Amino acid sequence: MLETLPDWPDYGVCDDQRPALRRLLEAGRPAALATIAALDGGGPRPVGTQMVFGEGVVSGFLSGGCVEGDVAGYAAACLADGEPRRLVYGAGSPWPDIRLLCGARIEILVERLAPGDPAAAELFKRMDARRPSVWISDGRRRVCGGADASAWPESVVVRQAPVWTLAVLGGDPTALAIATLGAQSGMETTLIRPRGPSTPPPLTGVAYRRDDPGEALAAIGLDAWSAVAICGHDIELDHAALMAALPSPAPYVGLLGARRRLPERLERLKASGLTDRDLARLRSPIGLDLGGKAPWEVAVATLGEIIALRSTATSASPFLDLDQYRRTSMEAD
């Protein structure tokens, strides 16, 4: 267990700490879980933000560098003696030499989780089933459940949605850039290129499918935490993908293509059986209007649009139903 952190904070790039926690516990090693329990006066990270510490593992960030090194020391102590800690930084802190440049007051709960912890097991079970979870803990007692899980005094509540999936249809540089950026942002990303090369694309963290769009999207399983980016440059493949994606629970469906061709595409989709409500969900041209046309510029615009939708939807609750997601999508237009 590291009591000092590496010089470069690449450990903070991943925002979802469930995989790191799982790696430790399922390998039979204990983990220290640090959670922002309270926040006053702003701050770079919201309440519920977490870090994980353990043998060979440091993941997440809490303040952008102000307190992580100190928290790592307390995490090591927590792993050693099993006693939870509540740390306060900023106003009212016993450590005035640790200054928060944002002027915030941060309270952090540090707790030790042992392999086989029942709450963690339920967390991973819900994660695998793509079900939202509520994690409730005071450092000694913890539970994990659904929306009806009840907190108690002094407990910290963390609401977590399933990991978002991203399906990208296409094989051109723009599709590759969108898939790459999606995987780097933490989304479970699949590139779909019907009848494409048997060799998968050289993209780290990106799955690959060669079947037809409808079959591929059905196999991926679109739900209320899915995004679909269609960049096929093939009218028939694009149409097949839209027919599968637009009636699905996926809150984001984007299409790369010329604005002048959109009306005829919409007419064909409607003639094929899609409703006005289905068609209203389509985002085309794809992505935020940043003015760029290069592959990485379109990828940034697309991921930005997905993140904007995701943030709007999940800021209220990870338990929003499909109709709420769809209303959010249409109102954003």
Side-chain angles (χ1 to χ4, degrees), residues 211-330:
D211 41 354
D212 290 335
E215 297 173 359
L217 293 175
I220 292 169
L222 302 181
D223 59 22
W225 298 276
S226 297
V228 181
I230 300 171
C231 315
H233 295 290
D234 182 299
I235 295 296
E236 296 305 319
L237 291 177
D238 287 358
H239 181 79
L242 289 168
M243 288 297 297
L246 285 173
S248 79
Y252 182 91
V253 181
L255 172 66
L256 180 69
R259 194 184 303 272
R260 67 179 183 277
R261 299 292 303 276
L262 184 58
E264 63 185 81
R265 288 188 167 200
L266 293 176
E267 283 300 320
R268 184 183 177 193
L269 290 167
K270 191 170 184 178
S272 299
L274 295 192
T275 66
D276 289 338
R277 186 181 183 185
D278 293 333
L279 299 179
R281 300 179 57 237
L282 178 61
R283 294 168 180 268
S284 183
I286 198 170
L288 301 174
D289 185 5
L290 303 182
K293 300 291 187 180
W296 284 111
E297 293 171 333
V298 176
V300 169
T302 301
L303 266 294
E305 190 171 46
I306 295 170
I307 292 168
L309 172 64
R310 182 178 67 181
S311 299
T312 299
T314 58
S315 62
S317 169
F319 300 95
L320 291 175
D321 62 26
L322 173 58
D323 285 340
Q324 286 175 294
Y325 269 106
R326 286 179 169 169
R327 285 196 297 273
T328 299
S329 176
M330 287 186 283

Side-chain angles (χ1 to χ4, degrees), residues 11-257:
Y11 50 81
V13 172
C14 179
D15 195 48
D16 186 351
Q17 304 315 315
R18 289 172 292 184
L21 181 64
R22 188 175 202 168
R23 286 199 303 274
L24 284 167
L25 298 186
E26 293 189 350
R29 302 195 296 270
L33 179 65
T35 305
I36 296 182
L39 181 64
D40 184 38
R45 307 291 287 147
V47 171
T49 298
Q50 296 179 318
M51 281 191 78
V52 171
F53 301 86
E55 184 181 341
V57 174
V58 178
S59 182
F61 80 101
L62 302 171
S63 72
C66 299
V67 305
E68 281 78 1
D70 197 61
V71 173
Y74 284 100
C78 181
L79 284 171
D81 63 20
E83 288 296 311
R85 271 81 169 166
R86 283 200 178 243
L87 313 174
V88 177
Y89 299 96
S93 171
W95 308 291
D97 55 318
I98 300 177
R99 301 183 62 186
L100 304 181
L101 297 181
C102 60
R105 179 187 186 275
I106 302 177
E107 181 178 334
I108 297 170
L109 171 66
V110 183
E111 59 186 308
R112 183 183 189 273
L113 276 69
D117 182 272
E122 177 64 20
L123 178 70
F124 305 147
K125 179 180 177 181
R126 299 182 74 88
M127 184 178 173
D128 290 341
R130 296 191 59 76
R131 298 168 61 195
S133 60
V134 178
W135 174 271
I136 307 172
S137 177
D138 60 14
R140 298 185 184 277
R141 171 191 170 198
R142 63 188 67 89
V143 298
C144 181
D148 57 349
S150 298
W152 57 90
E154 302 303 318
S155 63
V156 178
V157 178
V158 180
R159 301 180 184 275
Q160 294 170 308
V163 176
W164 271 60
T165 61
L166 171 63
V168 182
L169 176 75
D172 75 338
T174 298
L176 299 183
I178 293 173
T180 298
L181 198 56
Q184 290 176 342
S185 69
M187 303 180 76
E188 294 179 355
T189 303
T190 302
L191 183 73
I192 303 168
R193 187 177 177 184
R195 297 172 293 281
S198 57
T199 304
L203 307 178
T204 302
V206 176
Y208 176 49
R209 300 192 65 94
R210 302 174 61 238
D211 41 354
D212 290 335
E215 297 173 359
L217 293 175
I220 292 169
L222 302 181
D223 59 22
W225 298 276
S226 297
V228 181
I230 300 171
C231 315
H233 295 290
D234 182 299
I235 295 296
E236 296 305 319
L237 291 177
D238 287 358
H239 181 79
L242 289 168
M243 288 297 297
L246 285 173
S248 79
Y252 182 91
V253 181
L255 172 66
L256 180 69

